[in-house]
Amino acid sequence: KKYQWTAIPLAMHGVVVKSDGTVIKVCIGEEAGDPQFTITDILPHLGQDQATKPLGTAFTGEDLNILIGSRPVRDEEAKDAYKLNIMRLLNEKYGIVEEDFLSAELELVPAFKACDIGLDRSMIGAYGHDDRVCAYPAFMAELDADKPFKTTVTVLTDKEETGSNGNTGLHSSYVKYFIHDLAAMQGGNGELAVANSECLSADVNAALDPTFSDVMERRNAAMLNYGAVVTKYTGARGKSGTNDASAEFVGKVRLVLNAAGVKWQTGEMGKVDAGGGGTVAKYMAKRNIDTLDAGVPVLSMHAPMEIVSKLDTYMTYKGMKVFYLD
């Protein structure tokens, strides 16, 4: 939501590719003493017109202007003196010039550090839990699954929130080709390897928030501290645009989790007619791979600070690990 991005500290991350091909990694605002950035908001004394607008239109994308400096160069003859001073600082630190922004990818993200939430320290607050809180348990489970009986692969993919397009998103065929290469190394058939693969698609689901319970179906909603959430299907307004896992595969995962003592629950993305959402599971299923969503329930999903339960995070790790070892 655009209004959530105003008046909070921001950090800059990304890469800049210079004209000679040199790749410069940029990270400003994360270390102690680093400068940070922000997006300004109108003061309440003059915000009467803003306050009368619907929440979705009170801010536009063009309103989200990032404040990065206010001092000009000391040259009365200079044009764009403020921009010139910023470019001078960037050139001194990174050796980049203005044209290098043509081949740059920079993001401004909340500069909040992950922290314990609650007097009991039972929750974690951080930016980007969706989907780092699933990617990290999956990766650690892969590392800790010692000597699995079958080949295991953990895919950390890109662009999920923008449609999974591009050659680094799951619309690409890179996962399929990778599995084919693995099979070929053992003298196997790639298509048979894909058809006999199984996948847990690590993604979050919405946790029931008592403050906004009217958009949730309480009997079919995930809750904090009930364990990892297994989602048979997602989709908009029901099952539109979803992977709908088969009963047989859900049953198999259920048996594996129960046998290992993993605490888990099922959940849907809110009431059927309230909206909905999707994951990358459908792109894996498209390749003839049995796929089921599994991950961590989240409060304040997609906000600059999202909330998860430590218990649910650990159970997601434990569930991923036993899945790898099954």
Side-chain angles (χ1 to χ4, degrees):
K1 300 175 181 177
K2 294 183 178 67
Y3 74 86
Q4 295 174 324
W5 288 86
T6 63
I8 63 171
L10 300 172
M12 182 184 294
H13 290 255
V15 295
V16 180
V17 181
K18 298 170 63 175
S19 58
D20 62 359
T22 305
V23 178
I24 306 296
K25 292 185 178 181
V26 176
C27 179
I28 307 173
E30 297 288 4
E31 300 298 327
D34 273 3
Q36 295 180 339
F37 312 92
T38 194
I39 298 170
T40 59
D41 194 1
I42 192 170
L43 66 163
H45 312 73
L46 301 178
Q48 295 183 20
D49 288 344
Q50 181 193 65
T52 62
K53 295 179 181 179
L55 196 60
T57 60
F59 294 89
T60 67
E62 285 69 31
D63 291 334
L64 303 183
N65 295 306
I66 301 159
L67 192 62
I68 62 171
S70 67
R71 183 181 298 172
V73 294
R74 293 183 178 181
D75 185 351
E76 295 182 359
E77 303 286 326
K79 296 181 179 179
D80 296 325
Y82 295 91
K83 182 178 76 172
L84 187 60
N85 191 45
I86 296 299
M87 289 308 307
R88 177 184 64 82
L89 295 171
L90 289 173
N91 182 262
E92 290 176 355
K93 184 174 179 64
Y94 296 107
I96 61 177
V97 297
E98 184 174 359
E99 187 177 318
D100 292 332
F101 285 105
L102 294 173
S103 51
E105 186 165 342
L106 299 171
E107 286 82 31
L108 275 293
V109 302
F112 307 139
K113 300 294 185 182
C115 62
D116 289 336
I117 297 292
L119 290 174
D120 57 2
R121 297 179 178 268
S122 61
M123 297 166 286
I124 307 169
Y127 164 69
H129 273 318
D130 180 14
D131 278 306
R132 291 192 294 180
V133 77
C134 294
Y136 179 71
F139 181 60
M140 293 307 298
E142 177 72 81
L143 295 181
D144 294 342
D146 188 37
K147 297 180 181 178
F149 176 70
K150 294 172 287 190
T151 300
T152 62
V153 176
T154 299
V155 179
L156 304 177
T157 195
D158 193 17
K159 305 185 186 299
E160 191 265 346
E161 296 296 351
T162 59
S164 296
N165 297 301
N167 65 348
T168 56
L170 277 187
H171 259 317
S172 167
S173 297
Y174 75 89
V175 175
K176 175 183 175 180
Y177 293 148
F178 177 71
I179 297 176
H180 279 227
D181 288 344
L182 286 179
M185 291 168 61
Q186 303 297 321
N189 179 282
E191 291 297 338
L192 286 177
V194 170
N196 285 281
S197 296
E198 297 171 335
C199 174
L200 289 186
S201 179
D203 205 339
V204 301
N205 203 330
L208 177 67
D209 188 334
T211 306
F212 306 106
S213 59
D214 58 317
V215 297
M216 307 292 288
E217 166 51 60
R218 185 175 290 270
R219 292 170 296 182
N220 293 296
M223 300 185 188
L224 257 59
N225 290 327
Y226 277 67
V229 56
V230 172
T231 307
K232 185 178 186 296
Y233 60 87
T234 56
R237 303 198 179 279
K239 295 183 179 180
S240 177
T242 184
N243 161 61
D244 189 2
S246 68
E248 290 81 3
F249 187 52
V250 176
K252 178 176 180 178
V253 173
R254 176 186 173 194
L255 289 173
V256 170
L257 298 180
N258 286 341
V262 177
K263 302 297 181 184
W264 64 280
Q265 58 184 315
T266 59
E268 296 179 359
M269 186 69 77
K271 290 181 177 178
V272 171
D273 295 327
T279 70
V280 297
K282 59 186 177 183
Y283 304 122
M284 299 303 291
K286 181 180 178 181
R287 294 175 171 84
N288 193 26
I289 298 175
D290 276 323
T291 307
L292 178 64
D293 280 297
V296 182
V298 176
L299 293 174
S300 300
M301 189 189 299
H302 289 307
M305 178 169 281
E306 300 171 307
I307 310 298
V308 298
S309 156
K310 292 181 179 180
L311 182 149
D312 299 336
T313 305
Y314 174 71
M315 288 300 166
T316 298
Y317 157 78
K318 188 175 179 179
M320 298 290 182
K321 183 177 176 181
V322 298
F323 179 74
Y324 288 142
L325 293 173
D326 177 60

